[in-house]
Amino acid sequence: MALRIGCAAEPGRAQNNKTGSWRVFMPVVDMEKCTLCGTCILICPETSVSEKDGNILFDLDFCKGCGVCARECPGDAITMIQEEK
Amino acid sequence: MVDKSLELFDCGHRACGGCGPAMLARFILKGTGEDVIVVASTGCMEVFSTPYPETAWKVPWIHSLFENAAAVASGIEASLKHNNRTEKVVCICGDGATFDIGMLCISGAFERGHDITYICYDNEAYMNTGIQRSGATPYDASTTTSPAGRMSMGNSRPKKDLPQILNAHGATYVATASVAYPMDVMKKVEKAVNTPGATYLQVHAPCSTGWGFDGSKTIEIGKQAIECGLWVNYEMENGELTKAKKVRRVPVDGYLKAQKRFRHLFKPQPVTEEIAKIQAIADANAAKYGIDINLNK
Amino acid sequence: MLQIMEGSHAVAEAAKLCRPEVVSAYPITPQTHIVERLAEMVADGELDAEYMCVESELSALSVCLGASATGSRVYSATSSQGLMLMAEVVFNVAGMRQPIVMSIVNRALGAPLSIWNDQQDSISLRDSGWFQLYGEDVQEMTDQHFIAYKAAEQHDVLLPGFVCFDGFILSHTYEPVDIPTQEEIDAFLPPYVPYNKLDAKAPLSMGMYATPDYYMEFRYETDQAMKRAGDAISAAGREFGEMFGRDYSAHTESYRMDDADVAFVALGSICGTVKDAIDEMRADGIKAGLVKIRTFRPFPAEEIAQALAGVPKVAVLEKNISVGSAMKGAVGPEVKDAVTGTGIDVYSYVIGLGGRDIRKKDIRAVAALAEKGVGNMFYGLRTEVL
């Protein structure tokens, strides 16, 4: 790919960098406890939590496993577990 | 109205896990919406979000130097004005870029009264270069250039009161916020960009690496800072304090103990004299902004 | 139509005719008359631009960078210490490939403080990635602003440029000058079409950081662009000549170089004095000539080599000093490099620093030194105070 003059770039390429490889612990959600309040979606520094059809989804391509979602979940529905790689 | 679902900050950036400034980048863009141009200073956020060609920014974004974001923003605003364009201009800069090296350009821009919003993500030291103290570093915090030692209790000066300095410039809206309260940040960003003139927002953005706490506790630490009165969330409009978040204050000890940068105040023995000085800073904040919830009333 | 004008005011007229949308500058002697005149033009409605008074030169050029990145043609002017305070932004603008044009009213650098002329300021930023044009007289420096914008904004160039001229000697001197009409300049210089710009409708990140995987290539691209800037300046200079009768297609100008035994190389207003001295020397049977450098960056090595071919001795008149360098001046080594292998002897003479007057007899004395093979030295020191 030719260089873009002035060290400029269009959006979209950050996703080339799969930060999920940094992860040691991964979040697991207990949907029995989850109230879909959206706290985890809002605060995730990686924009890697979303909700679809009443389920909370973690994008493990990008989740760094920081655990802020688990700690801030008002219903304690998220736990961080050691990931087998 | 703030659209919480708007995602203008992409994943794949290289911030540490649990990064306060990374959360803040998302909150800010939810507050500004898409019709914005972001000006960044050199610093953590700039570096973790834009290694060529992998930008995390889905809005127009420019970085020039460490110290000149406010001046670059002034030029952008002038160009937009000349061409009747509608984009909001928002600087997002660290506390080193804001409190220290950028003061000249910031003072000029606020005195000229450009229609820009300057947001400082305040993680209270130069984190990108390895946790050196800045004018925003709190009293007694140990950093790599204000290390605690046999002859030192850490940073020897209190945090500079930058919001008041910019208030004195005639800023139309000056506010503080914390990543611990995302909705408050978004609302203040929205208000700042929609207030004509130069506006300033200073957001407490805990840094797990620099302050020494587990990355999962970023929001928790931010809340503790507010609950003890060492950080106050308030708003000033046209020079007048219009709002301050009230709290049932707790002693500063818990907030300090939770972070390695204050560890020397407790180990091997608590340094009560120094802790009392920090408590006095919190007490003064409480008196100045009237944040104490008085249970007797 | 010729009008008698102060150099600074002629430059302000030129800047106005280029229709900048944003003008930002900070006052510094001897640049002030330019920006004062532009402020008047905006105040009187003659120029439809955002005129921004800033608190420092650091901000002046940063403002221009921001406005340029947003798609505006911009203008600034500075001198000496002001340029040094801008220096970080100067390099940044070039790396970000913003085609900003800035007048440099050449003045010495402190310490000691001096408000008078030499060319240390702009020469010191020769590696910054801005092309550098030097004017000999008010007409030339005025015309060079039109050419600078035209060349800078070509999409195969996209580099900023300095238009340099000697403080006081040119900026504060009244000379007859032909100022083109707005219609003529509009025909020569079309509206600015940015290559990259900040626009919410087409988001772009500008000024990202480059890892070791990319940094060298960006620097290489800037150097390649500078090479093309030479061609663009030349093409614009030719087109300007066709329209206005003053041709600037060459990066150098030779004066009485036929069968010269000794040639001067110089930049800026000193060239007028040198030409007069050459006329006298020629009348006295000394075959002297001048190669005036109009474009210092990109350095026109080939043109200089051609112009100097067959001349045994070359004296480079330097209104700068590269402290600690072997030849003492910064221009000499580049001239020497241009003629390497030809057997031509090139010497530098540091002359006229900090406003020290340069007279015809000094030029003749330098020629005599060069003929004797004595050079790479300060000329005209007051030895009684040393």
Side-chain angles (χ1 to χ4, degrees), chain C residues 44-281:
Chain C
D44 293 341
E46 288 173 48
L47 170 60
D48 178 22
E50 309 299 319
Y51 184 92
M52 203 186 298
C53 295
V54 286
E55 80 301 326
S56 71
E57 284 90 354
L58 170 70
S59 277
L61 190 55
S62 300
V63 163
C64 288
L65 170 62
S68 176
T70 314
S72 289
R73 183 178 287 157
V74 301
Y75 174 77
S76 190
T78 192
S79 296
S80 179
Q81 312 300 139
L83 184 60
M84 290 300 109
L85 187 60
M86 277 181 189
E88 194 187 1
V89 197
V90 168
F91 277 76
N92 199 249
V93 164
M96 292 181 75
R97 307 290 296 275
Q98 298 301 321
I100 295 171
V101 171
M102 181 159 64
S103 304
I104 306 297
V105 190
N106 287 118
R107 168 184 149 182
L109 287 177
L113 179 66
S114 166
I115 60 164
W116 292 280
N117 166 250
D118 64 35
Q119 295 163 346
Q120 189 72 56
D121 47 6
S122 52
I123 298 268
S124 294
L125 289 179
R126 67 194 167 161
D127 300 335
S128 64
W130 291 56
F131 62 79
Q132 296 196 7
L133 309 180
Y134 287 78
E136 178 189 343
D137 55 30
V138 173
Q139 185 70 66
E140 186 171 60
M141 75 205 206
T142 303
D143 293 344
Q144 280 171 328
H145 286 80
F146 308 120
I147 290 161
Y149 274 110
K150 178 122 180 170
E153 292 173 3
Q154 301 300 314
H155 281 194
D156 64 347
V157 176
L158 294 171
L159 283 180
F162 290 159
V163 179
C164 310
F165 45 94
D166 291 316
F168 294 117
I169 300 169
L170 293 175
S171 63
H172 288 54
T173 296
Y174 283 73
E175 283 187 354
V177 54
D178 177 35
I179 302 286
T181 64
Q182 186 67 65
E183 293 68 36
E184 287 170 331
I185 291 303
D186 287 347
F188 175 73
L189 182 67
Y192 173 43
V193 180
Y195 176 82
N196 283 338
K197 86 173 182 185
L198 296 166
D199 183 352
K201 290 187 213 72
L204 192 67
S205 290
M206 296 171 71
M208 302 169 72
Y209 88 90
T211 60
D213 289 339
Y214 289 104
Y215 183 83
M216 266 185 72
E217 284 70 23
F218 278 112
R219 297 298 278 162
Y220 171 80
E221 287 291 356
T222 302
D223 187 58
Q224 291 295 106
M226 184 59 84
K227 224 160 126 185
R228 295 190 293 268
D231 298 334
I233 292 162
S234 199
R238 182 172 300 108
E239 192 184 331
F240 191 87
E242 284 159 8
M243 288 180 74
F244 301 100
R246 297 183 293 275
D247 183 275
Y248 299 101
S249 57
H251 299 302
T252 61
E253 181 190 303
S254 292
Y255 182 76
R256 301 191 75 170
M257 282 296 293
D258 303 336
D259 68 6
D261 291 327
V262 58
F264 297 98
V265 175
L267 302 78
S269 65
I270 191 178
C271 293
T273 311
V274 174
K275 286 174 185 172
D276 285 350
I278 287 170
D279 290 345
E280 283 185 13
M281 290 161 79

Side-chain angles (χ1 to χ4, degrees), chain B residues 47 50-52 55 58 60-64 67-68 71-72 74-76 79 82-83 85 87 104-105 108 112 114, chain C residues 21 48 50 52-55 59 62-63 65-67 70 72 88 92 96 198-200 203-209:
Chain B
V47 168
T50 65
Y52 179 85
T55 180
K58 298 182 189 176
W61 177 97
I62 184 170
H63 159 255
S64 166
E67 72 280 15
N68 68 349
V72 172
S74 304
I76 293 170
S79 173
H82 193 85
N83 292 287
R85 286 168 59 180
E87 288 103 320
L104 179 73
C105 296
R112 291 188 298 270
H114 294 282
Chain C
E21 291 185 345
D48 178 22
E50 309 299 319
M52 203 186 298
C53 295
V54 286
E55 80 301 326
S59 277
S62 300
V63 163
L65 170 62
T70 314
S72 289
E88 194 187 1
N92 199 249
M96 292 181 75
L198 296 166
D199 183 352
L204 192 67
S205 290
M206 296 171 71
M208 302 169 72
Y209 88 90

